Amino acid sequence: MYKLVALDMDGTLLNSQKAISPRTKQAIQAARDNGVQVVLASGRPLEGMTKYLDELGMTGENDYVLSYNASLVQRVESKTVIRKQIMTGRDAKNIASLASDFGTFIHAFTPERGLITPENNPYTEHESVINGVPTTVLDFAELADDEEVIKVMMVADPEVLTAAINQLPESLYTQYTVVQSAPFFLELMNPNSNKGTGVAMLAEHLGLDASEVICMGDAGNDHHMIKYAGLGVAMGNATDDIKAIANHVTDTNDNDGVAKVIEEFVLGK
């Protein structure tokens, strides 16, 4: 019944040690051997996903990946972009002004400059390390209004970020897709960019219906794809609001939650 499985990475596919368990790896391979398309859908850039795509053997021209919360949907081998919904330098400067008002740090990803931030901080450093991408310190005022920006993130201690979120103007939610991917990460993207629209586009590209799709995640940036999927799955470690919208709640990322879903709903074990 299910022909496409979309997996969030951090908190879902990866356990607390940022590793894929042997059972999960085996289940994914078995699904792929049965003709099921498995894709990673992450807030990370492709550089931060490559190690895991290699580990899973999902590196061919018929393998796909959703990076930057599906701002980009690409073929893995050639990196050909089949969907792109991004922002501009003007957006980045507007959001940077808000971040300054609310006392949060900020960083962004751009196609030309990579990871940029006006000020070094522990959260941008964390982003840099987990994705293996260098950081460039750059005043966002130097960005051209029409320069391509993939996504912008407000980053701060969780209590500071929560206070900032509570002050965000309502208009921001119509201008952008706004999702919280971690207690210290708030991501802002093109309003047409989210994991749900990305998975829907890929399903259409593959000739599949939503009823044939499983999506699994644990955080706010997984909301759209869990709502879209025929079977939307929340991890046992997911936030309460994600569990509330899911069709099914599986075990945690440290207890092979992904593998258990694939075994039950795809492999029929």
Side-chain angles (χ1 to χ4, degrees):
M1 177 180 177
Y2 296 108
K3 299 178 181 178
L4 172 62
V5 179
L7 301 172
D8 168 58
M9 285 180 56
D10 298 282
T12 301
L13 172 68
L14 305 182
N15 61 24
S16 297
Q17 285 70 50
K18 299 296 183 185
I20 306 171
S21 75
R23 180 175 175 181
T24 297
K25 198 180 303 183
Q26 184 176 29
I28 289 172
Q29 185 58 56
R32 284 164 49 79
D33 289 344
N34 279 277
V36 176
Q37 188 90 39
V38 181
V39 300
L40 304 188
S42 175
R44 294 184 183 219
L46 183 55
E47 294 91 336
M49 306 166 75
T50 301
K51 167 188 172 183
Y52 301 104
L53 291 165
D54 288 345
E55 189 176 340
L56 294 169
M58 291 165 34
T59 57
E61 189 61 5
N62 292 319
D63 289 304
Y64 299 86
V65 65
L66 286 71
S67 57
Y68 300 107
N69 287 317
S71 293
L72 299 180
V73 180
Q74 298 170 267
R75 293 181 181 271
V76 177
E77 185 175 51
S78 64
K79 299 184 181 179
T80 302
V81 176
I82 62 173
R83 180 183 188 269
K84 178 171 75 170
Q85 298 285 345
I86 60 176
M87 304 162 73
T88 66
R90 182 184 297 107
D91 295 313
K93 287 183 277 193
N94 290 341
I95 296 165
S97 177
L98 279 175
S100 177
D101 291 343
F102 297 148
T104 73
F105 298 109
I106 192 167
H107 62 239
F109 286 92
T110 80
E112 297 300 321
R113 305 174 191 263
L115 177 60
I116 59 173
T117 183
E119 181 182 358
N120 276 321
N121 64 86
Y123 299 104
T124 300
E125 177 64 22
H126 174 73
E127 184 86 81
S128 174
V129 169
I130 66 170
N131 290 306
V133 295
T135 304
T136 299
V137 176
L138 177 78
D139 186 342
F140 282 16
E142 295 181 29
L143 296 170
D145 280 354
D146 60 352
E147 182 167 345
E148 289 190 336
V149 173
I150 301 171
K151 71 173 182 177
V152 182
M153 298 171 63
M154 290 185 185
V155 298
D157 291 343
E159 55 273 20
V160 174
L161 190 60
T162 297
I165 292 168
N166 291 336
Q167 298 177 72
L168 291 178
E170 282 299 318
S171 60
L172 207 69
Y173 291 89
T174 57
Q175 287 178 272
Y176 307 108
T177 294
V178 183
V179 293
Q180 189 167 8
S181 55
F184 42 82
F185 280 167
L186 184 73
E187 312 204 13
L188 297 98
M189 298 163 293
N190 181 294
N192 297 312
S193 176
N194 62 66
K195 291 186 185 182
T197 57
V199 174
M201 179 271 159
L202 180 58
E204 182 180 354
H205 179 76
L206 296 172
L208 303 178
D209 185 76
S211 64
E212 299 173 291
V213 178
I214 298 175
C215 292
M216 299 188 228
D218 71 306
N221 60 328
D222 302 312
H223 178 282
H224 297 88
M225 72 172 183
I226 288 173
K227 286 284 285 184
Y228 160 79
L231 181 65
V233 177
M235 302 301 292
N237 51 285
T239 58
D240 289 343
D241 57 328
I242 293 301
K243 288 179 179 177
I245 63 163
N247 306 115
H248 178 78
V249 178
T250 186
D251 212 330
T252 68
N253 63 321
D254 285 327
N255 288 306
D256 296 310
V258 166
K260 290 174 182 177
V261 169
I262 293 174
E263 289 164 359
E264 178 178 354
F265 294 99
V266 176
L267 303 176
K269 289 187 177 181

